[in-house]
Amino acid sequence: SNFNLDQLKEANKDGYVDVVQMEYNLLNRENEHIFDYTSKNNITFIPYFPLVSGLLAGKYNENTTFDDLRAKNPEFQGERYKENLAKVDQLRGIADNHRVDVAHIVLAFYLTRPSLDVVIPGAKRPNQVVDNLTTLDVKLTEDEINKIEEFQSVPTTKEKGLDVDIGSWRGFVIKKGTPEAVKKQLTKQLKEAYETEEYKEYAKNNLVDIGEG
């Protein structure tokens, strides 16, 4: 997982790659440029973090506070958080029309993407698994799909003036041209961060929740 396009092509030079898992959601479309390659080469693209820790499930408002890793996630901070909430509010009308939750609309939209074969939202209780299946009953209209397309129209890495070298990892992007020693140190620090007790406790309590995927 988390390969950039060149790395994926190198790994698949003999045609043995069947599945690739990368971050993809309505707030992060940076990996869309890989879709064409995965489709043409019959590679299943599985997006992780599809609901952005509940942000795309419509669960939160400006008064919601966080005491876990979300408190340090840029998507949950300052004006960016307010902008994200405003974007999610755009989906409530569609959800109301279908009499489902915002999360179901987001997941249903993913299933309209030809390159996404599987979407795995989190669930730690049986009723959440059943609730996830409601997504299969949602049939978005062409107008609704187009509206959501506009919602998710955010700058890509290259539009922001960055040229991804080793890709993004939980919101961290290492720019092309970064010295190898610096990349290794950054990667080491990120890996160590996810080995902390704080992260493990958060993962245990949140990452498999239906609204936390």
Side-chain angles (χ1 to χ4, degrees):
S1 66
N2 290 328
F3 280 17
N4 62 32
L5 182 56
D6 288 339
Q7 291 170 330
L8 179 57
K9 288 180 177 179
E10 175 65 20
N12 192 48
K13 61 183 179 180
D14 294 318
Y16 292 138
V17 176
D18 294 319
V19 179
V20 62
Q21 185 177 35
M22 299 182 182
E23 181 174 352
Y24 177 77
N25 54 63
L26 289 181
L27 300 180
N28 182 353
R29 298 175 61 189
E30 292 180 356
N31 285 319
E32 277 191 348
H33 68 287
I34 294 177
F35 286 179
D36 185 59
Y37 179 81
T38 55
S39 294
K40 290 180 178 178
N41 289 273
N42 297 315
I43 297 173
T44 295
F45 186 108
I46 301 178
Y48 70 76
F49 213 38
L51 296 177
V52 192
S53 293
L55 186 52
L56 289 176
K59 298 171 57 176
Y60 310 133
N61 57 50
E62 291 187 17
N63 297 319
T64 306
T65 58
F66 306 96
D67 57 4
D68 51 32
L69 288 183
R70 282 170 290 193
K72 298 179 180 179
N73 186 329
E75 301 292 358
F76 290 82
Q77 296 180 7
E79 289 302 313
R80 186 166 173 179
Y81 178 53
K82 293 179 181 179
E83 291 173 1
N84 287 335
L85 291 175
K87 289 180 178 180
V88 173
D89 282 342
Q90 296 176 31
L91 303 178
R92 296 191 187 279
I94 300 176
D96 290 343
N97 288 340
H98 289 269
R99 298 182 180 180
V100 296
D101 297 329
V102 171
H104 296 125
I105 297 302
V106 174
L107 296 175
F109 174 79
Y110 294 153
L111 294 178
T112 69
R113 307 296 86 187
S115 298
L116 301 187
D117 298 314
V118 179
V119 179
I120 308 177
K124 64 181 181 181
R125 294 187 292 273
N127 66 299
Q128 292 176 330
V129 176
V130 174
D131 186 62
N132 283 341
L133 294 176
T134 301
T135 300
L136 300 177
D137 297 325
V138 177
K139 307 300 180 184
L140 297 173
T141 67
E142 198 67 33
D143 285 344
E144 289 171 336
I145 292 173
N146 290 336
K147 183 176 181 179
I148 299 173
E149 280 276 14
E150 294 173 1
F151 161 97
Q152 69 162 4
S153 182
V154 296
T156 64
T157 296
K158 290 189 177 180
E159 289 170 343
K160 294 175 184 175
L162 300 175
D163 191 0
V164 174
D165 183 21
I166 63 172
S168 61
W169 186 5
R170 292 281 179 179
F172 294 89
V173 177
I174 299 178
K175 297 168 65 175
K176 186 174 183 179
T178 301
E180 286 298 321
V182 176
K183 289 197 293 187
K184 289 180 180 179
Q185 181 62 26
L186 287 172
T187 303
K188 179 175 180 291
Q189 290 175 343
L190 288 173
K191 288 181 178 179
E192 289 176 348
Y194 295 123
E195 290 299 319
T196 62
E197 291 303 317
E198 178 187 10
Y199 177 77
K200 291 179 180 179
E201 183 65 20
Y202 168 67
K204 176 182 176 182
N205 294 326
N206 295 281
L207 291 189
V208 293
D209 199 323
I210 181 172
E212 308 297 339

